[in-house]
């Protein structure tokens, strides 16, 4: 029989993909505010101002930041344009404050679910504006059905705008080939294990084998002197990388999601390593919240506590 924790994780990851449930929660006057209390541990707030305020606070504490206006799978063209516009406003606001940091986005938020050309054209506009202000744009990696399109759009964009980088999921078998190829492109590579539920024919589960593979990818990127973001909360993996002195290399940063292992990131920052916090804002936090609970089921206890006792979620003070 399957381990109940794995069963829970798989069930939650498939619920997360259910657009009907997402839409129901998004429009429910009872459920939305209730679950928002749980999401606020991981999401800075519903507005750009919330993201910017938290970003400024973290920057003043010695961190760098990635900011994402949260959302994905937007199928309505007008909403994709609205999302693109929000990213442009975000970049302008960051630029006006000389915040030379990172903006992160899902291509399916700005047009990929309408058609790849729309996403590409929107990304070009965002990349151009970001370049004016010395801001980096990191493309997130989504489900495997989108990987080809995301990699293709990234390649075309980074050739023109080297301030654009991409996220690669170590759990996908194809990532080995992707890395060999992408190492020849200028953009930063953010290495993650992978958050989406994928069939065992194309991806491997959490395991020592996956951790070894992660290390092997980091080693390849460092060997090529490629800019890399090590995006994991796995303490054992981090200890191994610290032992191998990966973090001492100037082109390396360690990046963690807001609200997850702030204690560990603080420790790394205090040792002098480049430490970055990934911040999100917006109202489309449903999938994001499901992923954070699925990858660490104990977060469900925190979610319930946060709903009953919302004052427990003042995340920024933990950094
Ligand atoms: P793993 O899941 O193996 O967990 C190892 C340990 O880390 C756990 O035992 C626990 O101690 C701690 N931990 C992990 N997750 C936790 C949580 N939610 N709460 C509390 N503790 C936790 N994925 C993707 O598919 N596409 C993307 O674009 C991105 N982007 C991205 C950016 C950044 C900056 C980060 C850090 C992560 C992503 N991810 C992502 C998510 C990533 O793929 C992965 O699902 C999570 O980082 C969890 O995997 P870990 O490597 O942390 O280790």
């Amino acid at each position: 029989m399957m381990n109940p924790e794995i069963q829970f994780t798989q069930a939650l990851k498939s619920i997360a993909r259910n657009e009907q449930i997402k839409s129901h929660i998004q429009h429910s006057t009872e459920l939305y505010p209730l679950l928002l209390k749980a999401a606020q541990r991981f999401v800075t707030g519903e507005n750009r101002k919330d993201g910017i305020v938290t970003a400024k606070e973290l920057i003043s504490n010695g961190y760098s930041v990635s900011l994402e206006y949260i959302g994905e799978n937007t199928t309505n063209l007008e909403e994709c344009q609205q999302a693109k516009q929000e990213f442009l406003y975000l970049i302008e606001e960051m630029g006006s404050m000389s915040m030379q940091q990172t903006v992160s986005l899902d291509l399916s938020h700005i047009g990929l679910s309408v058609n790849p050309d729309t996403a590409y054209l929107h990304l070009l506009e965002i990349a151009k504006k970001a370049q004016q202000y010395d801001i980096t744009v990191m493309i997130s990696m989504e489900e495997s059905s989108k990987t080809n399109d995301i990699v293709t759009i990234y390649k075309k964009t980074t050739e023109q705008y080297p301030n654009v980088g991409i996220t690669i999921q170590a759990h996908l078998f194809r990532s080995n080939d992707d890395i060999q190829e992408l190492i020849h492109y200028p953009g930063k590579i953010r290495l993650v294990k992978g958050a989406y539920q994928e069939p065992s024919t194309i991806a491997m589960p959490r395991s020592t084998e996956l951790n070894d593979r992660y290390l092997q990818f980091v080693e390849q990127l460092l060997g090529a002197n490629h800019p890399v973001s090590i995006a994991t909360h796995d303490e054992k993996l981090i200890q191994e990388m610290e032992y191998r002195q990966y973090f001492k290399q100037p082109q390396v940063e360690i990046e963690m999601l807001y609200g997850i292992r702030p204690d560990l990131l603080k420790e790394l920052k205090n040792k002098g390593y480049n430490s970055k916090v990934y911040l999100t804002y917006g109202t489309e936090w449903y999938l994001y919240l499901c992923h954070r609970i699925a990858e660490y089921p104990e977060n469900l206890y925190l979610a319930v506590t946060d709903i009953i006792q919302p004052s427990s979620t003042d995340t920024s003070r933990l950094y």
Side-chain angles (χ1 to χ4, degrees):
M1 212 177 76
M2 199 191 274
N3 170 330
E5 191 168 309
I6 296 178
Q7 250 173 331
F8 170 79
T9 298
Q10 291 183 349
L12 197 60
K13 285 189 178 182
S14 49
I15 290 174
R17 309 282 351 133
N18 187 313
E19 288 294 328
Q20 266 174 321
I21 299 179
K22 176 180 160 184
S23 168
H24 178 69
I25 291 174
Q26 219 65 48
H27 296 104
S28 160
T29 47
E30 283 96 32
L31 280 175
Y32 179 91
L34 207 62
L35 292 176
L36 176 62
K37 290 179 187 163
Q40 273 165 342
R41 179 174 291 277
F42 308 113
V43 178
T44 60
E46 294 177 280
N47 304 304
R48 192 186 325 140
K49 187 174 104 319
D50 300 315
I52 296 269
V53 166
T54 312
K56 276 166 93 174
E57 204 178 317
L58 290 169
I59 293 166
S60 70
N61 286 346
Y63 297 93
S64 58
V65 296
S66 283
L67 264 167
E68 183 196 359
Y69 168 51
I70 205 164
E72 74 287 311
N73 297 333
T74 310
T75 48
N76 173 309
L77 181 59
E78 221 171 280
E79 286 173 16
C80 295
Q81 285 163 340
Q82 180 272 328
K84 176 208 65 178
Q85 194 53 52
E86 173 58 30
F87 279 110
L88 294 176
Y89 289 144
L90 171 64
I91 289 167
E92 271 172 13
E93 203 163 326
M94 289 165 73
S96 73
M97 290 182 287
S98 302
M99 227 188 236
Q100 285 139 350
Q101 300 282 333
T102 299
V103 164
S104 282
L105 51 82
D106 278 11
L107 285 182
S108 77
H109 193 190
I110 57 163
L112 190 61
S113 302
V114 176
N115 73 63
D117 281 347
T118 304
Y120 174 53
L121 293 174
H122 284 167
L123 180 64
L124 283 180
E125 265 189 78
I126 292 169
K128 187 176 177 192
K129 174 78 70 188
Q131 197 181 48
Q132 279 170 23
Y133 295 109
D134 207 6
I135 287 172
T136 303
V137 178
M138 287 302 292
I139 303 172
S140 295
M141 189 50 76
E142 306 182 49
E143 305 94 313
S144 57
S145 56
K146 299 178 189 148
T147 313
N148 269 338
D149 282 335
I150 294 173
V151 170
T152 305
I153 293 172
Y154 163 68
K155 285 185 193 161
K156 285 195 285 183
T157 314
T158 197
E159 280 179 333
Q160 201 179 340
Y161 294 105
N163 59 321
V164 175
I166 191 168
T167 310
I168 292 293
Q169 298 158 330
H171 77 165
L172 288 189
F173 295 140
R174 62 169 284 165
S175 294
N176 195 24
D177 293 340
D178 285 335
I179 286 184
Q180 304 311 323
E181 219 185 321
L182 296 180
I183 222 159
H184 302 292
Y185 288 78
K188 181 185 286 182
I189 294 183
R190 176 196 279 144
L191 196 61
V192 300
K193 287 192 191 176
Y196 296 87
Q197 185 72 38
E198 300 288 358
S200 59
T201 46
I202 63 162
M204 59 172 74
R206 295 291 191 268
S207 53
T208 26
E209 203 188 345
L210 176 59
N211 282 11
D212 288 345
R213 194 175 152 82
Y214 192 101
L215 288 170
Q216 185 199 321
F217 288 160
V218 176
E219 205 141 286
Q220 280 170 10
L221 291 164
L222 296 191
N225 211 19
H226 201 88
V228 54
S229 171
I230 292 177
T232 180
H233 317 95
D234 188 330
E235 194 163 358
K236 271 202 184 145
L237 197 52
I238 287 171
Q239 275 168 358
E240 179 60 30
M241 288 188 275
E242 188 181 15
Y243 174 73
R244 296 185 187 192
Q245 308 213 332
Y246 290 170
F247 306 146
K248 290 202 167 147
Q249 314 222 18
Q251 83 277 24
V252 175
E253 67 189 13
I254 310 154
E255 189 174 10
M256 294 191 194
L257 303 177
Y258 180 66
I260 300 175
R261 296 305 310 267
D263 55 324
L264 180 57
L265 194 64
K266 193 175 185 178
E267 201 182 304
L268 293 162
K269 187 223 19 170
N270 290 343
K271 286 180 182 170
Y273 303 135
N274 298 326
S275 304
K276 181 176 265 187
V277 187
Y278 187 109
L279 305 169
T280 56
Y281 70 89
T283 55
E284 299 260 335
W285 38 258
Y286 167 72
L287 174 70
Y288 192 78
L289 176 64
C290 288
H291 276 156
R292 302 300 75 86
I293 296 174
E295 64 205 4
Y296 195 67
E298 282 90 330
N299 281 340
L300 191 59
Y301 304 142
L302 293 175
V304 174
T305 312
D306 293 340
I307 288 170
I308 300 167
Q309 208 177 35
S311 58
S312 55
T313 52
D314 180 10
T315 307
S316 63
R317 76 187 155 74
L318 302 172
Y319 287 90

